[in-house]
Amino acid sequence: MEVDVLATPGHLVSLAARGFARLSEARLKPFGFGVGQIPVLIALRDGQATTQRDLARLARVEQPPMAQMLARMERDGLIERTPDPNDGRSHRVELTEAARVRLPEACAVLLAGNRDALSGFSDEESNALVSLLIRLLANLDRIAVGTVASEPAGMTPA
């Protein structure tokens, strides 16, 4: 029996990710945020990172794309960069007040989008999906780096 490659978890997760990205981009646009900026904004809000290197690690992107994203975010008035007093080669990154004020409502809109997308799912099904996706991401991390990863950075089961 031949397996339908279009019905595999990899393909279906990819389709779901693109659908979520389209939904999120549309809902974030009025706030001046992009979906790729959300991990950076949250990390800065929560004090998890203050440098480009830390942000790249937390957002799981390479340094050059992170540098480009931060440059756009600075241009758009979402972040400010100041020289790091302890390291003359790096800068500290902080949210602007404008970004800080808009972020809670943007997060609420994203959460509403998730609720809409999971319409008809029970709480147990939603929680199970999140747990399964966290395990899937951990497996993908393990495969990518060749080591055992328990949970992806910043992810905890619900």
Side-chain angles (χ1 to χ4, degrees):
M1 178 174 173
E2 188 173 318
V3 175
D4 180 3
V5 72
L6 300 180
T8 61
H11 182 69
L12 295 172
V13 167
S14 179
L15 289 175
R18 287 191 300 237
F20 270 114
R22 283 191 305 274
L23 174 69
S24 298
E25 286 292 344
R27 291 181 178 209
L28 288 173
K29 191 172 185 174
F31 300 98
F33 299 146
V35 71
Q37 297 171 337
I38 294 300
V40 172
L41 294 166
I42 299 296
L44 292 171
R45 179 199 67 189
D46 294 348
Q48 294 174 320
T50 59
T51 66
Q52 177 181 310
R53 177 179 38 237
D54 291 341
L55 290 166
R57 182 181 49 77
L58 283 169
R60 296 175 169 202
V61 298
E62 298 296 323
Q63 289 270 359
M66 180 55 68
Q68 291 172 342
M69 180 189 302
L70 292 177
R72 287 190 304 273
M73 292 175 76
E74 187 172 34
R75 176 201 69 205
D76 295 343
L78 302 176
I79 62 162
E80 296 173 331
R81 292 192 261 195
T82 56
D84 185 333
N86 301 321
D87 181 357
R89 298 169 298 153
S90 78
H91 289 80
R92 298 232 177 235
V93 182
E94 294 181 5
L95 289 180
T96 62
E97 186 60 27
R100 194 174 301 284
V101 166
R102 294 191 309 247
L103 188 55
E105 192 174 354
C107 289
V109 165
L110 288 176
L111 291 172
N114 276 274
R115 281 191 304 274
D116 293 346
L118 293 174
S119 176
F121 285 61
S122 69
D123 287 344
E124 294 79 20
E125 289 171 324
S126 295
N127 291 338
L129 178 60
V130 169
S131 293
L132 290 169
L133 289 170
I134 288 170
R135 285 176 45 203
L136 176 64
L137 289 169
N139 286 345
L140 292 169
D141 283 349
R142 179 185 47 77
I143 293 165
V145 297
T147 61
V148 175
S150 60
E151 290 180 356
M155 301 284 189
T156 55

